[in-house]
Amino acid sequence: MNMLFFIVFLLFSALIFRLGIVQIVQGEDYQRKIERTEDVTVNTSVPRGKIFDRDGQIVVDNVPQNAITYTRPKNPDADEMMKTAEKLAQLIEKEIDQVTERDKKDFWIGKNEEKVKAKVTDQEWAAYENDEITEDEIYDLQLERITEEDLKELTADELEVLAIYREFTSGYALTPQIVKNVNVTDVEYAVVSENLSSLPGVNTTTDWERAYSYDSTLKTVLGNISSSKEGLPKEMVDYYLSRSYSRNDRVGKSYLEYQYEGVLRGQKTKMKNITDKSGNVLDSEIITEGQRGKDLILTIDMDLQMAIEKIIEDELGAAKRSGGHPLLDRTFVTMMDPNTGEILAMAGKKYEVNDGKAEILDFASGNMTTSYAMGSAVKGATVLTGYMTGVNEPGEYIVDEPLKFAGTNPKSSWFNRGGAIGISDTYALMRSSNVYMFKTAMKIGGASYIPNGSLKLDPDAFGTMRNYFNQFGLGVKTGIDLPNEQDGYEGYVDQPGKLLDFSIGQFDTYTPLQMAQYVSTIANGGYRMEPHIVKEIRQPISDSNKLGPVAEEIQPKVLNTLDLEPGWIERVQEGFRLVAQASEGTASKYFANAPYDMAAKTGTAEGVYDGQWDTSKGSRPMTWNVTLVGYAPSDNPEVAISVVVPWAYESSANAISINNVIGRQAMDTYFELKKQKAKTKPAEAVIDQDIITKTTE
């Protein structure tokens, strides 16, 4: 028993001794640990997903770059932050171009306490003491009275400190803020890394920047992302914050980058910050490793895209240099697979003169954001509308004659066929008859032609024709996977004669993309396909030279099917074939000798110039738009095209067929590239495709 008591005594003595050490010797250290709190989880950004073309060529990449960051504590101490900024300024070079005059004044006030007090009169200080003037009003007086001479007292070194301090204060608590991520040298990166222990809140990391392999090609469609300084767009802050974004995250601001933000953003790294009572970060630990965003595979063929852009630049530049085309400043080409809706190329260029220098800039987005009167290119929709409404029969002959209505100028075709027999639907398309379309619209409106009589139409005829045109994609959004698409402009005048103008494409306006969807609907037999610019979404992998597994494949989508009887659409397809291949066809001069069988429809539309105009020059002039739609091969279409050249010329003396010239070159380029790529495919790939084809047959 004595031995047992002795052992118990020793154990209690050891326990008391240990408690004494914990409470007396290490008490303060443990107290600090107790006061530590684990703060909320912080997300750090990761590189965005990459963008490739349909052949796997990189279009948009991420370029890594050294970066220096600062994480502001929850309860920041301005003096401590300033001291850290001063230390960091000795280690790095920081540009001061972002420093504002207000920043300088605030900084000067902090550096010149006595001089600042002297900026306020004794009477004003007395008023402040008597609560007649607030502290904020005193500060405003001091700011107002700081002169340029005062600010010149700030040295270059002080301004550099200010620039760094400004970055420190612009961040959000416990969220890393970029201090410098452009031109951070290896020496700066290494020196800062070595001195992190004396720079609380400062860290070194790797940031990224978007890189465009094809420079400005397709840039307006690819879109932009916000910078690290911009962070979240002000108008969408609440939207993004509710989706776990940080305020200084970079996000897609326009077009493809914006549309696929949720795919491209990636999975952010989640970190837990351990802080003391003052909110200073003591340590950080990674909870979940991040992963860069998923990759996009576009439907675009960048080789085709670049070639078409070159064609547009050459022809647009040549037209401008030739003179006589002062208002011509843009051209658009859209090429798509009529069977799937895949956009193969979406090219647009805009001619501008800046500081006396002529430039041709990317305006690919104009294919879907701008609309124009398209002229006779829409006549295929008019003919089919005549069939679908039951006012015309396929193969029916209609007399092409000048139409004379009371009180108006005659309305006629550009040619006068004459004769009582009339012309057929296919001939009307081949020769681009206006009268055939006029009489079709009159029938839809419940009117018959009476020479020198009045034209009275059912006002609902406008709605009827627009409804059928919508089924081709004309006058409605195409459904492309990009934001800001325009649906065109509907003429608001309901005068009977305007319905006739509508039937030949000289009233409502449509986008170049709508024209591509419309001609694709004719090419594929009556299915309006939803155009899309993304073909696949792929999982990211570490090997930058390979594509990851497919996460999602964008499937073709039929928006609607035309309600057609057998043989109807074949009549229009034949008319389009005659346009390009028959000797009297309006485009045969350009396509009759093509090595592929082309089907097409040309168009010209006269109207008032609706671009930017200086009213001091008088009223807006009349101009002509020239257009082309088509597809090939005519018997088994694989590519459809729309070419739109607004405001090409003002008078017939300066008329040009730039639409047909560009169309021929673009289609030639497509089939030449197809042939070249077929030759460069691996032999086994060709064999596999042959097997697939035979199996399908």
Side-chain angles (χ1 to χ4, degrees), residues 383 386-387 391-393 395-401 403 415 417-425 427-428 433-441 443:
V383 171
Y387 299 161
V391 300
N392 287 343
E393 292 288 336
E396 179 181 348
Y397 280 69
I398 294 177
V399 175
D400 188 307
E401 58 186 327
L403 303 182
F415 66 96
R417 179 69 176 173
I421 298 177
I423 59 176
S424 67
D425 44 10
Y427 189 92
S433 167
N434 287 343
V435 173
Y436 187 98
M437 310 305 154
F438 292 157
K439 289 188 174 182
T440 298
K443 290 180 182 179

PDB file of all heavy atoms in Angstrom, residues 383 386-387 391-393 395-401 403 415 417-425 427-428 433-441 443:
ATOM      1  N   VAL A 383     -41.266  31.874-103.253  1.00  0.00           N
ATOM      2  CA  VAL A 383     -41.855  30.831-104.102  1.00  0.00           C
ATOM      3  C   VAL A 383     -42.459  29.718-103.251  1.00  0.00           C
ATOM      4  O   VAL A 383     -43.594  29.275-103.479  1.00  0.00           O
ATOM      5  CB  VAL A 383     -40.793  30.265-105.067  1.00  0.00           C
ATOM      6  CG1 VAL A 383     -41.332  29.029-105.804  1.00  0.00           C
ATOM      7  CG2 VAL A 383     -40.378  31.328-106.084  1.00  0.00           C
ATOM      8  N   GLY A 386     -45.632  30.714-101.606  1.00  0.00           N
ATOM      9  CA  GLY A 386     -46.742  30.610-102.549  1.00  0.00           C
ATOM     10  C   GLY A 386     -47.313  29.215-102.603  1.00  0.00           C
ATOM     11  O   GLY A 386     -48.536  29.012-102.646  1.00  0.00           O
ATOM     12  N   TYR A 387     -46.416  28.200-102.575  1.00  0.00           N
ATOM     13  CA  TYR A 387     -46.883  26.813-102.564  1.00  0.00           C
ATOM     14  C   TYR A 387     -47.620  26.502-101.261  1.00  0.00           C
ATOM     15  O   TYR A 387     -48.712  25.923-101.260  1.00  0.00           O
ATOM     16  CB  TYR A 387     -45.707  25.839-102.682  1.00  0.00           C
ATOM     17  CG  TYR A 387     -44.882  25.939-103.938  1.00  0.00           C
ATOM     18  CD1 TYR A 387     -43.595  25.410-103.974  1.00  0.00           C
ATOM     19  CD2 TYR A 387     -45.384  26.535-105.091  1.00  0.00           C
ATOM     20  CE1 TYR A 387     -42.819  25.471-105.115  1.00  0.00           C
ATOM     21  CE2 TYR A 387     -44.609  26.607-106.241  1.00  0.00           C
ATOM     22  CZ  TYR A 387     -43.324  26.083-106.250  1.00  0.00           C
ATOM     23  OH  TYR A 387     -42.553  26.147-107.374  1.00  0.00           O
ATOM     24  N   VAL A 391     -51.575  29.398-103.050  1.00  0.00           N
ATOM     25  CA  VAL A 391     -51.934  30.354-104.099  1.00  0.00           C
ATOM     26  C   VAL A 391     -51.245  30.024-105.418  1.00  0.00           C
ATOM     27  O   VAL A 391     -51.685  30.479-106.485  1.00  0.00           O
ATOM     28  CB  VAL A 391     -51.594  31.800-103.669  1.00  0.00           C
ATOM     29  CG1 VAL A 391     -52.348  32.166-102.398  1.00  0.00           C
ATOM     30  CG2 VAL A 391     -50.088  32.004-103.486  1.00  0.00           C
ATOM     31  N   ASN A 392     -50.169  29.255-105.386  1.00  0.00           N
ATOM     32  CA  ASN A 392     -49.445  28.857-106.596  1.00  0.00           C
ATOM     33  C   ASN A 392     -49.285  27.345-106.624  1.00  0.00           C
ATOM     34  O   ASN A 392     -49.311  26.687-105.573  1.00  0.00           O
ATOM     35  CB  ASN A 392     -48.061  29.501-106.654  1.00  0.00           C
ATOM     36  CG  ASN A 392     -48.116  30.984-106.969  1.00  0.00           C
ATOM     37  OD1 ASN A 392     -49.130  31.497-107.441  1.00  0.00           O
ATOM     38  ND2 ASN A 392     -47.017  31.687-106.714  1.00  0.00           N
ATOM     39  N   GLU A 393     -49.076  26.825-107.806  1.00  0.00           N
ATOM     40  CA  GLU A 393     -48.791  25.408-107.989  1.00  0.00           C
ATOM     41  C   GLU A 393     -47.391  25.263-108.581  1.00  0.00           C
ATOM     42  O   GLU A 393     -46.972  26.094-109.391  1.00  0.00           O
ATOM     43  CB  GLU A 393     -49.803  24.766-108.941  1.00  0.00           C
ATOM     44  CG  GLU A 393     -51.212  24.680-108.387  1.00  0.00           C
ATOM     45  CD  GLU A 393     -51.337  23.646-107.288  1.00  0.00           C
ATOM     46  OE1 GLU A 393     -50.504  22.708-107.265  1.00  0.00           O
ATOM     47  OE2 GLU A 393     -52.250  23.771-106.458  1.00  0.00           O
ATOM     48  N   GLY A 395     -44.614  24.587-111.043  1.00  0.00           N
ATOM     49  CA  GLY A 395     -44.638  24.558-112.502  1.00  0.00           C
ATOM     50  C   GLY A 395     -45.643  25.501-113.119  1.00  0.00           C
ATOM     51  O   GLY A 395     -45.718  25.612-114.350  1.00  0.00           O
ATOM     52  N   GLU A 396     -46.418  26.197-112.299  1.00  0.00           N
ATOM     53  CA  GLU A 396     -47.425  27.132-112.819  1.00  0.00           C
ATOM     54  C   GLU A 396     -46.735  28.316-113.498  1.00  0.00           C
ATOM     55  O   GLU A 396     -45.724  28.823-113.025  1.00  0.00           O
ATOM     56  CB  GLU A 396     -48.296  27.626-111.663  1.00  0.00           C
ATOM     57  CG  GLU A 396     -49.367  28.637-112.069  1.00  0.00           C
ATOM     58  CD  GLU A 396     -50.183  29.121-110.886  1.00  0.00           C
ATOM     59  OE1 GLU A 396     -50.067  28.510-109.800  1.00  0.00           O
ATOM     60  OE2 GLU A 396     -50.932  30.104-111.034  1.00  0.00           O
ATOM     61  N   TYR A 397     -47.320  28.739-114.634  1.00  0.00           N
ATOM     62  CA  TYR A 397     -46.770  29.876-115.373  1.00  0.00           C
ATOM     63  C   TYR A 397     -47.503  31.158-114.964  1.00  0.00           C
ATOM     64  O   TYR A 397     -48.729  31.177-114.833  1.00  0.00           O
ATOM     65  CB  TYR A 397     -46.894  29.653-116.877  1.00  0.00           C
ATOM     66  CG  TYR A 397     -45.813  28.757-117.448  1.00  0.00           C
ATOM     67  CD1 TYR A 397     -45.783  27.388-117.137  1.00  0.00           C
ATOM     68  CD2 TYR A 397     -44.825  29.266-118.273  1.00  0.00           C
ATOM     69  CE1 TYR A 397     -44.791  26.568-117.640  1.00  0.00           C
ATOM     70  CE2 TYR A 397     -43.830  28.445-118.783  1.00  0.00           C
ATOM     71  CZ  TYR A 397     -43.818  27.110-118.465  1.00  0.00           C
ATOM     72  OH  TYR A 397     -42.833  26.296-118.962  1.00  0.00           O
ATOM     73  N   ILE A 398     -46.722  32.216-114.781  1.00  0.00           N
ATOM     74  CA  ILE A 398     -47.269  33.524-114.438  1.00  0.00           C
ATOM     75  C   ILE A 398     -46.674  34.551-115.400  1.00  0.00           C
ATOM     76  O   ILE A 398     -45.469  34.546-115.661  1.00  0.00           O
ATOM     77  CB  ILE A 398     -46.934  33.909-112.986  1.00  0.00           C
ATOM     78  CG1 ILE A 398     -47.637  32.955-112.013  1.00  0.00           C
ATOM     79  CG2 ILE A 398     -47.324  35.349-112.681  1.00  0.00           C
ATOM     80  CD1 ILE A 398     -47.319  33.202-110.548  1.00  0.00           C
ATOM     81  N   VAL A 399     -47.522  35.416-115.927  1.00  0.00           N
ATOM     82  CA  VAL A 399     -47.065  36.415-116.897  1.00  0.00           C
ATOM     83  C   VAL A 399     -46.188  37.448-116.198  1.00  0.00           C
ATOM     84  O   VAL A 399     -46.583  38.039-115.192  1.00  0.00           O
ATOM     85  CB  VAL A 399     -48.262  37.107-117.573  1.00  0.00           C
ATOM     86  CG1 VAL A 399     -47.782  38.224-118.501  1.00  0.00           C
ATOM     87  CG2 VAL A 399     -49.090  36.092-118.335  1.00  0.00           C
ATOM     88  N   ASP A 400     -44.999  37.647-116.739  1.00  0.00           N
ATOM     89  CA  ASP A 400     -44.098  38.680-116.226  1.00  0.00           C
ATOM     90  C   ASP A 400     -44.314  39.940-117.064  1.00  0.00           C
ATOM     91  O   ASP A 400     -43.927  39.996-118.234  1.00  0.00           O
ATOM     92  CB  ASP A 400     -42.639  38.209-116.316  1.00  0.00           C
ATOM     93  CG  ASP A 400     -41.686  39.172-115.625  1.00  0.00           C
ATOM     94  OD1 ASP A 400     -41.716  40.377-115.927  1.00  0.00           O
ATOM     95  OD2 ASP A 400     -40.913  38.718-114.754  1.00  0.00           O
ATOM     96  N   GLU A 401     -44.935  40.937-116.485  1.00  0.00           N
ATOM     97  CA  GLU A 401     -45.265  42.166-117.190  1.00  0.00           C
ATOM     98  C   GLU A 401     -45.130  43.337-116.230  1.00  0.00           C
ATOM     99  O   GLU A 401     -45.266  43.173-115.019  1.00  0.00           O
ATOM    100  CB  GLU A 401     -46.717  42.088-117.676  1.00  0.00           C
ATOM    101  CG  GLU A 401     -47.700  41.871-116.529  1.00  0.00           C
ATOM    102  CD  GLU A 401     -49.120  41.647-116.986  1.00  0.00           C
ATOM    103  OE1 GLU A 401     -49.497  42.237-118.012  1.00  0.00           O
ATOM    104  OE2 GLU A 401     -49.843  40.889-116.315  1.00  0.00           O
ATOM    105  N   LEU A 403     -46.202  46.085-113.895  1.00  0.00           N
ATOM    106  CA  LEU A 403     -47.448  46.288-113.151  1.00  0.00           C
ATOM    107  C   LEU A 403     -47.669  47.781-112.942  1.00  0.00           C
ATOM    108  O   LEU A 403     -46.814  48.470-112.361  1.00  0.00           O
ATOM    109  CB  LEU A 403     -47.393  45.569-111.796  1.00  0.00           C
ATOM    110  CG  LEU A 403     -47.117  44.060-111.836  1.00  0.00           C
ATOM    111  CD1 LEU A 403     -47.148  43.481-110.429  1.00  0.00           C
ATOM    112  CD2 LEU A 403     -48.116  43.350-112.738  1.00  0.00           C
ATOM    113  N   PHE A 415     -35.943  42.663-116.284  1.00  0.00           N
ATOM    114  CA  PHE A 415     -36.105  42.311-117.692  1.00  0.00           C
ATOM    115  C   PHE A 415     -37.612  42.222-117.953  1.00  0.00           C
ATOM    116  O   PHE A 415     -38.415  42.087-117.025  1.00  0.00           O
ATOM    117  CB  PHE A 415     -35.444  40.965-117.999  1.00  0.00           C
ATOM    118  CG  PHE A 415     -36.123  39.814-117.305  1.00  0.00           C
ATOM    119  CD1 PHE A 415     -37.081  39.055-117.957  1.00  0.00           C
ATOM    120  CD2 PHE A 415     -35.821  39.497-115.981  1.00  0.00           C
ATOM    121  CE1 PHE A 415     -37.712  38.003-117.313  1.00  0.00           C
ATOM    122  CE2 PHE A 415     -36.454  38.444-115.341  1.00  0.00           C
ATOM    123  CZ  PHE A 415     -37.407  37.696-115.999  1.00  0.00           C
ATOM    124  N   ARG A 417     -40.108  39.894-119.920  1.00  0.00           N
ATOM    125  CA  ARG A 417     -40.267  38.679-120.712  1.00  0.00           C
ATOM    126  C   ARG A 417     -41.395  38.836-121.723  1.00  0.00           C
ATOM    127  O   ARG A 417     -41.265  38.435-122.876  1.00  0.00           O
ATOM    128  CB  ARG A 417     -40.553  37.501-119.754  1.00  0.00           C
ATOM    129  CG  ARG A 417     -40.772  36.173-120.464  1.00  0.00           C
ATOM    130  CD  ARG A 417     -39.492  35.666-121.096  1.00  0.00           C
ATOM    131  NE  ARG A 417     -39.670  34.354-121.691  1.00  0.00           N
ATOM    132  CZ  ARG A 417     -38.755  33.745-122.424  1.00  0.00           C
ATOM    133  NH1 ARG A 417     -37.600  34.346-122.649  1.00  0.00           N
ATOM    134  NH2 ARG A 417     -38.970  32.561-122.938  1.00  0.00           N
ATOM    135  N   GLY A 418     -42.513  39.420-121.268  1.00  0.00           N
ATOM    136  CA  GLY A 418     -43.645  39.616-122.167  1.00  0.00           C
ATOM    137  C   GLY A 418     -44.308  38.300-122.547  1.00  0.00           C
ATOM    138  O   GLY A 418     -43.920  37.230-122.110  1.00  0.00           O
ATOM    139  N   GLY A 419     -45.325  38.384-123.338  1.00  0.00           N
ATOM    140  CA  GLY A 419     -46.012  37.184-123.811  1.00  0.00           C
ATOM    141  C   GLY A 419     -47.085  36.732-122.854  1.00  0.00           C
ATOM    142  O   GLY A 419     -47.010  36.953-121.647  1.00  0.00           O
ATOM    143  N   ALA A 420     -48.099  36.100-123.406  1.00  0.00           N
ATOM    144  CA  ALA A 420     -49.250  35.686-122.613  1.00  0.00           C
ATOM    145  C   ALA A 420     -49.001  34.378-121.879  1.00  0.00           C
ATOM    146  O   ALA A 420     -49.722  34.041-120.945  1.00  0.00           O
ATOM    147  CB  ALA A 420     -50.469  35.558-123.518  1.00  0.00           C
ATOM    148  N   ILE A 421     -48.005  33.620-122.327  1.00  0.00           N
ATOM    149  CA  ILE A 421     -47.750  32.318-121.689  1.00  0.00           C
ATOM    150  C   ILE A 421     -47.184  32.502-120.282  1.00  0.00           C
ATOM    151  O   ILE A 421     -47.561  31.830-119.344  1.00  0.00           O
ATOM    152  CB  ILE A 421     -46.791  31.473-122.554  1.00  0.00           C
ATOM    153  CG1 ILE A 421     -47.432  31.182-123.907  1.00  0.00           C
ATOM    154  CG2 ILE A 421     -46.427  30.178-121.834  1.00  0.00           C
ATOM    155  CD1 ILE A 421     -46.539  30.411-124.853  1.00  0.00           C
ATOM    156  N   GLY A 422     -46.261  33.456-120.132  1.00  0.00           N
ATOM    157  CA  GLY A 422     -45.667  33.711-118.830  1.00  0.00           C
ATOM    158  C   GLY A 422     -44.427  32.876-118.578  1.00  0.00           C
ATOM    159  O   GLY A 422     -43.871  32.253-119.487  1.00  0.00           O
ATOM    160  N   ILE A 423     -43.996  32.860-117.347  1.00  0.00           N
ATOM    161  CA  ILE A 423     -42.768  32.150-116.967  1.00  0.00           C
ATOM    162  C   ILE A 423     -43.070  31.198-115.811  1.00  0.00           C
ATOM    163  O   ILE A 423     -43.982  31.406-115.018  1.00  0.00           O
ATOM    164  CB  ILE A 423     -41.654  33.131-116.556  1.00  0.00           C
ATOM    165  CG1 ILE A 423     -42.100  33.998-115.373  1.00  0.00           C
ATOM    166  CG2 ILE A 423     -41.251  34.021-117.732  1.00  0.00           C
ATOM    167  CD1 ILE A 423     -41.020  34.919-114.840  1.00  0.00           C
ATOM    168  N   SER A 424     -42.243  30.151-115.720  1.00  0.00           N
ATOM    169  CA  SER A 424     -42.427  29.159-114.658  1.00  0.00           C
ATOM    170  C   SER A 424     -41.699  29.600-113.393  1.00  0.00           C
ATOM    171  O   SER A 424     -40.937  30.571-113.386  1.00  0.00           O
ATOM    172  CB  SER A 424     -41.890  27.805-115.116  1.00  0.00           C
ATOM    173  OG  SER A 424     -40.475  27.871-115.255  1.00  0.00           O
ATOM    174  N   ASP A 425     -41.911  28.853-112.333  1.00  0.00           N
ATOM    175  CA  ASP A 425     -41.247  29.152-111.066  1.00  0.00           C
ATOM    176  C   ASP A 425     -39.726  29.031-111.170  1.00  0.00           C
ATOM    177  O   ASP A 425     -38.985  29.881-110.661  1.00  0.00           O
ATOM    178  CB  ASP A 425     -41.777  28.241-109.954  1.00  0.00           C
ATOM    179  CG  ASP A 425     -41.918  26.787-110.413  1.00  0.00           C
ATOM    180  OD1 ASP A 425     -41.434  26.451-111.502  1.00  0.00           O
ATOM    181  OD2 ASP A 425     -42.521  25.984-109.659  1.00  0.00           O
ATOM    182  N   TYR A 427     -37.880  29.275-113.876  1.00  0.00           N
ATOM    183  CA  TYR A 427     -37.374  30.353-114.716  1.00  0.00           C
ATOM    184  C   TYR A 427     -37.371  31.672-113.938  1.00  0.00           C
ATOM    185  O   TYR A 427     -36.443  32.484-114.064  1.00  0.00           O
ATOM    186  CB  TYR A 427     -38.227  30.483-115.982  1.00  0.00           C
ATOM    187  CG  TYR A 427     -37.642  31.432-117.009  1.00  0.00           C
ATOM    188  CD1 TYR A 427     -36.800  30.963-118.008  1.00  0.00           C
ATOM    189  CD2 TYR A 427     -37.914  32.797-116.965  1.00  0.00           C
ATOM    190  CE1 TYR A 427     -36.246  31.837-118.945  1.00  0.00           C
ATOM    191  CE2 TYR A 427     -37.366  33.677-117.887  1.00  0.00           C
ATOM    192  CZ  TYR A 427     -36.534  33.186-118.879  1.00  0.00           C
ATOM    193  OH  TYR A 427     -35.975  34.058-119.802  1.00  0.00           O
ATOM    194  N   ALA A 428     -38.405  31.884-113.145  1.00  0.00           N
ATOM    195  CA  ALA A 428     -38.489  33.109-112.350  1.00  0.00           C
ATOM    196  C   ALA A 428     -37.312  33.214-111.385  1.00  0.00           C
ATOM    197  O   ALA A 428     -36.763  34.300-111.162  1.00  0.00           O
ATOM    198  CB  ALA A 428     -39.804  33.151-111.583  1.00  0.00           C
ATOM    199  N   SER A 433     -37.064  37.040-111.462  1.00  0.00           N
ATOM    200  CA  SER A 433     -38.242  37.821-111.822  1.00  0.00           C
ATOM    201  C   SER A 433     -38.863  38.479-110.592  1.00  0.00           C
ATOM    202  O   SER A 433     -39.184  37.807-109.604  1.00  0.00           O
ATOM    203  CB  SER A 433     -39.292  36.916-112.486  1.00  0.00           C
ATOM    204  OG  SER A 433     -40.543  37.569-112.574  1.00  0.00           O
ATOM    205  N   ASN A 434     -39.045  39.794-110.664  1.00  0.00           N
ATOM    206  CA  ASN A 434     -39.748  40.504-109.592  1.00  0.00           C
ATOM    207  C   ASN A 434     -41.260  40.303-109.693  1.00  0.00           C
ATOM    208  O   ASN A 434     -41.948  40.109-108.695  1.00  0.00           O
ATOM    209  CB  ASN A 434     -39.444  42.004-109.650  1.00  0.00           C
ATOM    210  CG  ASN A 434     -38.042  42.333-109.189  1.00  0.00           C
ATOM    211  OD1 ASN A 434     -37.385  41.517-108.533  1.00  0.00           O
ATOM    212  ND2 ASN A 434     -37.566  43.521-109.521  1.00  0.00           N
ATOM    213  N   VAL A 435     -41.757  40.354-110.924  1.00  0.00           N
ATOM    214  CA  VAL A 435     -43.205  40.311-111.127  1.00  0.00           C
ATOM    215  C   VAL A 435     -43.787  38.984-110.653  1.00  0.00           C
ATOM    216  O   VAL A 435     -44.889  38.949-110.089  1.00  0.00           O
ATOM    217  CB  VAL A 435     -43.554  40.581-112.609  1.00  0.00           C
ATOM    218  CG1 VAL A 435     -45.047  40.366-112.851  1.00  0.00           C
ATOM    219  CG2 VAL A 435     -43.139  41.997-112.997  1.00  0.00           C
ATOM    220  N   TYR A 436     -43.085  37.889-110.883  1.00  0.00           N
ATOM    221  CA  TYR A 436     -43.562  36.593-110.397  1.00  0.00           C
ATOM    222  C   TYR A 436     -43.790  36.665-108.888  1.00  0.00           C
ATOM    223  O   TYR A 436     -44.799  36.171-108.372  1.00  0.00           O
ATOM    224  CB  TYR A 436     -42.543  35.498-110.735  1.00  0.00           C
ATOM    225  CG  TYR A 436     -43.017  34.096-110.424  1.00  0.00           C
ATOM    226  CD1 TYR A 436     -43.543  33.280-111.416  1.00  0.00           C
ATOM    227  CD2 TYR A 436     -42.944  33.589-109.116  1.00  0.00           C
ATOM    228  CE1 TYR A 436     -43.990  31.993-111.130  1.00  0.00           C
ATOM    229  CE2 TYR A 436     -43.383  32.311-108.821  1.00  0.00           C
ATOM    230  CZ  TYR A 436     -43.901  31.519-109.833  1.00  0.00           C
ATOM    231  OH  TYR A 436     -44.344  30.254-109.550  1.00  0.00           O
ATOM    232  N   MET A 437     -42.850  37.290-108.190  1.00  0.00           N
ATOM    233  CA  MET A 437     -42.963  37.405-106.728  1.00  0.00           C
ATOM    234  C   MET A 437     -44.066  38.398-106.346  1.00  0.00           C
ATOM    235  O   MET A 437     -44.815  38.167-105.386  1.00  0.00           O
ATOM    236  CB  MET A 437     -41.624  37.838-106.122  1.00  0.00           C
ATOM    237  CG  MET A 437     -40.432  37.017-106.595  1.00  0.00           C
ATOM    238  SD  MET A 437     -40.633  35.219-106.317  1.00  0.00           S
ATOM    239  CE  MET A 437     -39.551  34.569-107.607  1.00  0.00           C
ATOM    240  N   PHE A 438     -44.175  39.506-107.093  1.00  0.00           N
ATOM    241  CA  PHE A 438     -45.231  40.490-106.814  1.00  0.00           C
ATOM    242  C   PHE A 438     -46.614  39.828-106.891  1.00  0.00           C
ATOM    243  O   PHE A 438     -47.461  40.000-106.010  1.00  0.00           O
ATOM    244  CB  PHE A 438     -45.181  41.638-107.821  1.00  0.00           C
ATOM    245  CG  PHE A 438     -43.971  42.517-107.708  1.00  0.00           C
ATOM    246  CD1 PHE A 438     -43.547  43.274-108.811  1.00  0.00           C
ATOM    247  CD2 PHE A 438     -43.258  42.622-106.536  1.00  0.00           C
ATOM    248  CE1 PHE A 438     -42.445  44.099-108.730  1.00  0.00           C
ATOM    249  CE2 PHE A 438     -42.144  43.459-106.445  1.00  0.00           C
ATOM    250  CZ  PHE A 438     -41.735  44.191-107.555  1.00  0.00           C
ATOM    251  N   LYS A 439     -46.824  39.081-107.967  1.00  0.00           N
ATOM    252  CA  LYS A 439     -48.139  38.466-108.165  1.00  0.00           C
ATOM    253  C   LYS A 439     -48.411  37.378-107.128  1.00  0.00           C
ATOM    254  O   LYS A 439     -49.568  37.161-106.734  1.00  0.00           O
ATOM    255  CB  LYS A 439     -48.249  37.916-109.582  1.00  0.00           C
ATOM    256  CG  LYS A 439     -48.348  39.025-110.636  1.00  0.00           C
ATOM    257  CD  LYS A 439     -48.646  38.475-112.020  1.00  0.00           C
ATOM    258  CE  LYS A 439     -48.896  39.601-113.024  1.00  0.00           C
ATOM    259  NZ  LYS A 439     -49.226  39.104-114.383  1.00  0.00           N
ATOM    260  N   THR A 440     -47.353  36.703-106.676  1.00  0.00           N
ATOM    261  CA  THR A 440     -47.521  35.724-105.596  1.00  0.00           C
ATOM    262  C   THR A 440     -47.974  36.418-104.317  1.00  0.00           C
ATOM    263  O   THR A 440     -48.907  35.966-103.639  1.00  0.00           O
ATOM    264  CB  THR A 440     -46.206  34.974-105.344  1.00  0.00           C
ATOM    265  OG1 THR A 440     -45.834  34.249-106.525  1.00  0.00           O
ATOM    266  CG2 THR A 440     -46.344  33.999-104.185  1.00  0.00           C
ATOM    267  N   ALA A 441     -47.330  37.532-103.988  1.00  0.00           N
ATOM    268  CA  ALA A 441     -47.710  38.286-102.787  1.00  0.00           C
ATOM    269  C   ALA A 441     -49.132  38.829-102.907  1.00  0.00           C
ATOM    270  O   ALA A 441     -49.886  38.843-101.926  1.00  0.00           O
ATOM    271  CB  ALA A 441     -46.716  39.430-102.565  1.00  0.00           C
ATOM    272  N   LYS A 443     -51.610  37.490-104.552  1.00  0.00           N
ATOM    273  CA  LYS A 443     -52.539  36.379-104.330  1.00  0.00           C
ATOM    274  C   LYS A 443     -52.677  36.077-102.835  1.00  0.00           C
ATOM    275  O   LYS A 443     -53.775  35.813-102.337  1.00  0.00           O
ATOM    276  CB  LYS A 443     -52.051  35.136-105.065  1.00  0.00           C
ATOM    277  CG  LYS A 443     -52.136  35.212-106.579  1.00  0.00           C
ATOM    278  CD  LYS A 443     -51.610  33.915-107.188  1.00  0.00           C
ATOM    279  CE  LYS A 443     -51.613  33.951-108.706  1.00  0.00           C
ATOM    280  NZ  LYS A 443     -51.080  32.693-109.290  1.00  0.00           N
TER     281      LYS A 443
END
